[in-house]
Each structure stands twice: as C-alpha cells, then as structure tokens.
Amino acid sequence: LDTDYSSYSLIYGCSYLVGESMFILSRTPTLDENLIQNLVRKANPLVPTFDINTFNSRDFQSTAQCSWCNTVF
C-alpha cells in the first residue's frame, strides 16, 4: 500500500485461508509511533474492508541468521 523505499513498507494481503492481513515492515528495530499511526490512517480508506481496530503492533525481530543467508544461488 505504501513505502518510502528506505525505512518502511505497508503491506496488505487477502487470501481465502487466512483472510485479510496487514503488516508494517521496517528496516530498523523500531518505528516512530507517529509514523505507525499515519500509516494506519492511510490504510483505512485504501482497504475499507479491513477492520483497523484489529490491527495491533507486534515486534517480530531476531538476531539469529537465517540458514539460507549464506546460500549461493
């Protein structure tokens, strides 16, 4: 739905099995709360079927390296 190509991406998806989902992905461990609120407000008119009241912040991050990170393709 939106990105600044350097710090965040606002992602929306809808599938038969999972239903609607929305994510804010960040290149940093935290995002400014004002930016998060602005992105949520921006998403509301773009995806009116998504219940914005169900959107909650979750912090998913890890310092563990993925097993495929050093894989040569």
Side-chain angles (χ1 to χ4, degrees), residues 2-72:
D2 191 28
T3 186
D4 70 351
Y5 297 99
S6 63
S7 63
Y8 73 86
S9 290
L10 177 61
I11 313 268
Y12 168 80
C14 182
S15 73
Y16 176 75
L17 296 175
V18 178
E20 293 182 299
S21 57
M22 190 175 306
F23 303 94
I24 299 174
L25 304 178
S26 171
R27 292 184 184 262
T28 59
T30 60
L31 277 177
D32 180 69
E33 187 61 34
N34 289 330
L35 175 59
I36 294 171
Q37 293 305 316
N38 286 339
L39 291 172
V40 169
R41 279 193 293 276
K42 184 180 282 192
N44 198 23
L46 295 174
V47 189
T49 58
F50 184 77
D51 183 2
I52 209 70
N53 296 316
T54 64
F55 186 78
N56 59 1
S57 295
R58 294 187 189 165
D59 186 4
F60 295 107
Q61 56 181 312
S62 174
T63 57
Q65 190 174 25
C66 297
S67 61
W68 53 265
C69 286
N70 295 321
T71 303
V72 177

